[in-house]
Amino acid sequence: MADDPLQERVAALEERVARLELRPRAPQSEVFWALEGLRERLTGDGEVLFTGVVDLPTGEHYAWQQGAATAGLLEANWADHAAPYAALGHPVRLTLLRAVLRGTRSAAELQETAGLNTTGQLYHHLKQLTATGWLQAEGRGHYQVPAGRVVPLLVLLSAVVPAPNPTTTQE
């Protein structure tokens, strides 16, 4: 049954897994591999870099990298950028964003997921998230997290969700 599409897909997946298992792994002593790569590129007094590769339960795939010079960040007026953080400061909005990343996209499903009693409550929160760029409408009553916000959102969350084995150093 070589013409069976399911068998062909399973065989292709088995081949990919076998190749991945053969890849050499970095020694555990290379704890700061991303930091060392950044240090090699530094030209000024420091830089902040965040990056990520994300495969969502929806099948969407995102790769993202962004860096900023430390001096520019310290000189910027942080108050000018408070609105996007404020929009994340409500448990219902965080619930909505997590639901959208997991594949719940319609307003009706989001209302149910967040446990909101009225559409007015839902749209109040959706308005805050869309106005600050954390969500965008993708058709009548459907929402998505814009591609350029997926990894930054997860980076912000990773900064406050306790990591099981954080790696830090002060030089």
Side-chain angles (χ1 to χ4, degrees), residues 35-144:
L35 182 58
E36 293 306 320
L38 176 61
R39 284 185 184 173
E40 291 175 12
R41 298 177 52 98
L42 284 177
T43 58
D45 294 328
E47 189 169 341
V48 175
L49 174 69
F50 64 93
T51 185
V53 176
V54 177
D55 291 312
L56 295 178
T58 59
E60 295 162 306
H61 175 81
Y62 299 95
W64 182 264
Q65 174 178 301
Q66 181 175 330
T70 306
L73 291 172
L74 293 174
E75 291 171 11
N77 184 351
W78 293 3
D80 290 346
H81 307 285
Y85 292 105
L88 296 176
H90 196 286
V92 168
R93 293 184 199 130
L94 293 173
T95 298
L96 292 170
L97 286 168
R98 182 178 60 192
V100 170
L101 288 177
R102 289 180 170 176
T104 302
R105 302 287 169 89
S106 77
E109 292 172 320
L110 291 170
Q111 182 177 345
E112 183 179 329
T113 299
L116 299 172
N117 295 325
T118 68
T119 56
Q121 291 173 318
L122 174 68
Y123 285 108
H124 166 75
H125 293 294
L126 291 174
K127 181 180 176 184
Q128 293 294 315
L129 293 169
T130 55
T132 55
W134 292 113
L135 278 181
Q136 69 183 24
E138 63 170 9
R140 188 163 168 82
H142 286 77
Y143 294 87
Q144 69 180 13

